[in-house]
Amino acid sequence: MRPTLSVALSALMALSIAATATSVHAQQRGGGRNADGGSGDEEQAGKKKKRDDEWNQPKAPLAQLRNAGPCPYAKVLYDASRYVEFKDAKESAAQSSYTGEIQGLSSGCAYKSNDPIKMQVEILFELGRGPQATDTHKTYRYWVAVTERNKDVLAKEYFDLPVTFPQGQDRVYASETLKTITIPRADEKVSGGNFEVLIGFDVTPEMAAFNRDGKRFRVNAGQTQQALTQPGNVTKP
């Protein structure tokens, strides 16, 4: 008798990932809304094309293949989507040392009959160097996990992302391509829609809580209320 799906997958699952060389680029923060405040489909498509042209990001070839069913869901885990490191655990912009955010994620897959699912994922990182950073070099760590959809983790693997901040730059972008993520299937009736591929930074519990609370820095982050009410610091309507 064939084992149940969960048992078969737990016994067979092996996450096989080969990462290409990291592509890192220095870039100043820019952008902003158009004067008319537009944000339609054409504008979004134009921005994506411009970003792809600037970064020369390769398109995942697996995304163009025909599959026997849907691909696994690929997404960034919210609690681990950002990396914010503070000196002395003080949550302020002035006390930040290194930061990171996963800015983009694309994926494609291929499978047929009862073959394993072959999946490829591209990740775009934005990485920052704050006032308390002590070095121009930083190695970030992130992970990739395969799960049964909304259930247990079947496999998880960690990767190092070494980054060098050029002189005078406090921000770089890095893109990584992971190929191939191999997901065995019990039989041809098991589609990619039964699985999820989750990605996130290797964060501490404090970092995860910071992300979960949706905290973001403001221009006056870290200033005390007293400092804000000193003469010359009050913004009048």
Side-chain angles (χ1 to χ4, degrees):
M1 182 174 69
R2 182 181 297 279
T4 63
L5 172 62
S6 60
V7 172
L9 288 172
S10 297
L12 291 172
M13 176 57 62
L15 181 62
S16 173
I17 305 176
T20 64
T22 305
S23 175
V24 180
H25 308 266
Q27 179 170 317
Q28 297 284 358
R29 178 177 291 275
R33 298 181 64 84
N34 292 338
D36 60 0
S39 58
D41 293 341
E42 291 184 2
E43 179 186 1
Q44 295 299 322
K47 287 181 178 179
K48 184 177 185 303
K49 183 178 185 303
K50 181 180 179 182
R51 188 186 71 182
D52 288 347
D53 291 342
E54 288 176 349
W55 295 102
N56 192 28
Q57 296 183 59
K59 297 296 186 297
L62 292 177
Q64 307 302 320
L65 299 179
R66 293 180 179 273
N67 302 314
C71 288
Y73 294 83
K75 60 186 180 182
V76 179
L77 188 67
Y78 183 75
D79 288 3
S81 62
R82 291 184 296 150
Y83 180 97
V84 185
E85 190 175 300
F86 296 107
K87 181 180 179 181
D88 300 327
K90 296 178 180 178
E91 293 184 0
S92 73
Q95 294 298 312
S96 65
S97 52
Y98 297 98
T99 63
E101 186 163 358
I102 299 176
Q103 292 282 10
L105 177 65
S106 61
S107 65
C109 79
Y111 64 96
K112 61 183 179 179
S113 184
N114 60 351
D115 293 344
I117 299 169
K118 302 286 187 178
M119 191 168 182
Q120 178 169 301
V121 175
E122 277 191 316
I123 316 165
L124 177 63
F125 297 90
E126 181 184 15
L127 310 161
R129 183 174 180 270
Q132 298 299 326
T134 58
D135 200 340
T136 57
H137 303 283
K138 170 68 175 177
T139 297
Y140 295 84
R141 202 171 191 226
Y142 69 96
W143 50 262
V144 177
V146 174
T147 75
E148 284 188 80
R149 193 176 176 190
N150 300 320
K151 294 183 180 180
D152 296 336
V153 173
L154 300 171
K156 186 174 184 179
E157 192 166 337
Y158 289 84
F159 299 90
D160 288 334
L161 178 61
V163 171
T164 298
F165 294 90
Q167 186 67 31
Q169 297 283 350
D170 65 354
R171 196 147 309 167
V172 299
Y173 287 87
S175 61
E176 285 210 309
T177 300
L178 304 178
K179 56 179 187 182
T180 307
I181 301 173
T182 303
I183 307 175
R185 296 185 296 146
D187 55 44
E188 67 277 3
K189 297 179 182 179
V190 180
S191 78
N194 290 282
F195 306 99
E196 288 182 327
V197 174
L198 303 178
I199 296 171
F201 283 104
D202 185 20
V203 296
T204 65
E206 292 75 20
M207 291 179 184
F210 183 88
N211 293 335
R212 195 178 306 117
D213 291 342
K215 295 180 180 178
R216 293 279 181 177
F217 290 125
R218 301 182 301 275
V219 174
N220 59 1
Q223 297 185 30
T224 63
Q225 185 63 30
Q226 181 180 3
L228 292 173
T229 56
Q230 292 296 320
N233 289 340
V234 178
T235 302
K236 296 182 180 180

